[in-house]
Amino acid sequence: MTADVAICTWLSRSSGRQFAAAAAAEVGSSIHRCVHWRGEGGDAFVKIAAADRRLAFEAEAEGLQVLAEAGALRVPAVLAVGEAGGHALLALEWLDLEPAGEGNGALQAQLGEQLAMQHRMLAPRFGWHRDNTIGATPQQNAWDDDWVRFFRERRLGMQMDLAARNGLGTRCVDRGRELADRCGAFFSSYRPVPSLLHGDLWGGNWGVVAGTGQPAVFDPAVYYGDREADLAMTRLFGGFGPQFYAAYQSAWPMDQAAGTRRTLYNLYHVLNHFNLFGGGYDRQAEGMIDKLLAEFGA
């Protein structure tokens, strides 16, 4: 039995619907093989990876379900998660997505309002009941009552340790660890609440469902944390316009010092990009660390 036949059999059995014997098309991804699979009653978007990625797919599926239950932003429905043909598999509802662009003010405003609604879903503590992944990197989510400690240890510290093993320069690593030790100073007059976060909200992880004008998000790295972390990432690679920020601010105003912490939160993602892709992200990370430590005269 070929891998495609095994996947088709699994997909049909798991979803209770009939699917074509082979994938219709490959869909671009830098992390997994992703395919469009045609089926009766609706197509599927299937992520395919090595069998040892099954737990990561199970965590992603649960994250999507948590976001769906929040009733704020549209996410693709989970059809099945499991293993077949020697591969880990995650099958999602196929959404015909169109790029939104920053020029569609009404759509951007809708996204901002709905994200604020999602962020009002709170937990008693920071983290989540299980670990997941940010891209292909493990993301640690053990519950913690203290946000600064959570961010220092399970976000900055974890990525910095991994970056050191991946060849990040000694100066950058040393100063990054100094920053982690001192990052509590950025929260001296600010006490975040544990909001439900998408966790990987860059411009490539949202789009418009064709024919509906409805924004949808996908590829989450869900946990409960400071909502500023989601907002910070929206500014890292673009894709979000002024109407998005204005609508969010109107729905739930941000702390006046949010801009000060933006670089701190985005450092986590830049370090993760270094750990995933290398390239010039080391220089970007070092510049961000230097900028943040300059706040202390270091």
Side-chain angles (χ1 to χ4, degrees):
M1 182 183 294
T2 67
D4 272 12
V5 171
I7 293 169
C8 171
T9 301
W10 168 84
L11 189 56
S12 298
R13 183 178 65 248
S14 301
S15 66
R17 293 158 36 189
Q18 290 299 311
F19 282 86
E26 299 277 338
V27 183
S29 171
S30 60
I31 304 296
H32 308 296
R33 180 188 174 208
C34 297
V35 297
H36 179 188
W37 219 294
R38 299 198 182 280
E40 295 178 2
D43 295 357
F45 177 86
V46 183
K47 293 187 176 186
I48 305 171
D52 62 5
R53 299 291 295 174
R54 177 170 177 168
L55 287 177
F57 281 170
E58 289 176 352
E60 181 177 345
E62 187 172 354
L64 285 166
Q65 289 165 342
V66 169
L67 293 178
E69 289 165 5
L73 282 162
R74 174 76 184 273
V75 296
V78 177
L79 301 181
V81 60
E83 193 174 331
H87 299 283
L89 304 166
L90 173 60
L92 306 174
E93 170 193 15
W94 176 266
L95 298 178
D96 284 318
L97 294 174
E98 302 171 341
E102 295 184 18
N104 189 328
L107 188 66
Q108 291 273 345
Q110 183 182 354
L111 179 66
E113 291 170 2
Q114 291 176 340
L115 181 63
M117 186 187 306
Q118 176 193 299
H119 285 166
R120 288 192 181 276
M121 302 297 294
L122 305 179
R125 293 177 290 168
F126 300 99
W128 201 29
H129 74 99
R130 67 184 300 169
D131 293 343
N132 51 15
T133 56
I134 179 80
T137 307
Q139 180 168 264
Q140 301 170 354
N141 294 320
W143 293 111
D144 200 318
D145 296 320
D146 187 312
W147 170 250
V148 173
R149 181 172 58 209
F150 178 90
F151 187 75
R152 177 190 298 123
E153 296 177 1
R154 296 180 181 87
R155 294 295 180 263
L156 277 190
M158 179 269 173
Q159 290 285 354
M160 193 60 65
D161 289 346
L162 184 57
R165 294 195 295 272
N166 286 335
L168 188 64
T170 301
R171 177 185 182 276
C172 190
V173 170
D174 290 345
R175 285 177 64 78
R177 287 176 173 155
E178 179 184 355
L179 173 64
D181 289 340
R182 302 177 72 167
C183 71
F186 292 103
F187 300 87
S188 58
S189 60
Y190 172 62
R191 296 292 180 268
V193 296
S195 292
L196 176 60
L197 304 186
H198 177 282
D200 196 9
L201 192 57
W202 68 288
N205 279 350
W206 81 282
V208 186
V209 182
T212 71
Q214 184 180 32
V217 298
F218 42 90
D219 287 351
V222 162
Y223 67 102
Y224 288 87
D226 182 7
R227 62 195 178 105
E228 286 185 11
D230 260 359
L231 271 294
M233 194 182 189
T234 65
R235 296 184 183 271
L236 188 57
F237 300 115
F240 300 82
Q243 295 90 346
F244 165 81
Y245 297 105
Y248 187 100
Q249 181 72 9
S250 178
W252 191 0
M254 301 285 287
D255 182 78
Q256 290 184 347
T260 305
R261 290 177 289 271
R262 187 182 305 151
T263 302
L264 180 69
Y265 286 139
N266 281 339
L267 178 59
Y268 172 66
H269 296 291
V270 171
L271 287 169
N272 186 51
H273 275 65
F274 169 78
N275 287 320
L276 289 172
F277 309 118
Y281 291 110
D282 55 349
R283 294 185 296 276
Q284 186 176 0
E286 187 165 17
M288 295 169 80
I289 291 167
D290 287 345
K291 177 182 178 181
L292 290 162
L293 284 177
E295 297 282 335
F296 310 113

